[in-house]
Amino acid sequence: LPGVPVPMHHLQSTVPERPRRDATRRAVLAALAACFTMPAFAATGLELSPPDALAQVKSGKLILVDVRTPGEWKQTGVAQGAVMLDMQHPNGAPGFMDDLLKLTKGDRNAPVALICRTGNRSGQVQRYLQAQGFTQIYNIAEGMAGSAAGPGWLRRGLPLQ
């Protein structure tokens, strides 16, 4: 009724909680996504330079995995000794991990280096694999094309397959 005061507890109970929760959830997810896409964040963990990775692959001490897409492999070529394993696996992250376990013969302690275009995606995959119990996952932070970490595999003139 107009002009009749309404107790405050009646007003509060009519405010839906869901939009507020959804907004909070979106803000948290956006913050997490920002952390995973920041180049500085990708630099957490073990890293190798392209020349060091190449030397270890040649000596049989390391498995090198190129996590880029087939289109990228065709565009730039693939680092010598690298196994092509698209991080956008048809069976998702578990499928990627299963294929990697086949490469390492089930050994989560096997040394594996990951390379992508600029080191960001390989850093994301590195963190995922570490969370799955892999202990020696290296990121080639320079990537194929170079980044703030250095000139990259291609500009260094390192061999391709």
Side-chain angles (χ1 to χ4, degrees), residues 37-123:
T37 58
M38 291 174 54
F41 194 78
T44 60
L46 303 171
E47 291 187 6
L48 280 175
S49 70
D52 290 341
L54 179 62
Q56 289 191 35
V57 167
K58 284 183 173 181
S59 69
K61 296 179 183 175
L62 180 78
I63 298 170
L64 177 59
V65 177
D66 189 328
V67 301
R68 298 176 301 150
T69 64
E72 290 174 290
W73 299 327
K74 289 177 188 170
Q75 184 180 34
T76 63
V78 176
Q80 185 178 63
V83 176
M84 296 172 277
L85 185 55
D86 186 350
M87 71 179 275
Q88 296 175 4
H89 195 280
N91 295 324
F96 178 92
M97 187 177 67
D98 288 344
D99 283 354
L100 183 62
L101 282 167
K102 289 174 189 168
L103 290 172
T104 65
K105 297 178 176 78
D107 184 0
R108 291 176 189 253
N109 298 313
V112 175
L114 306 171
I115 192 166
C116 67
R117 188 175 67 84
T118 60
N120 288 326
R121 288 174 290 169
S122 53

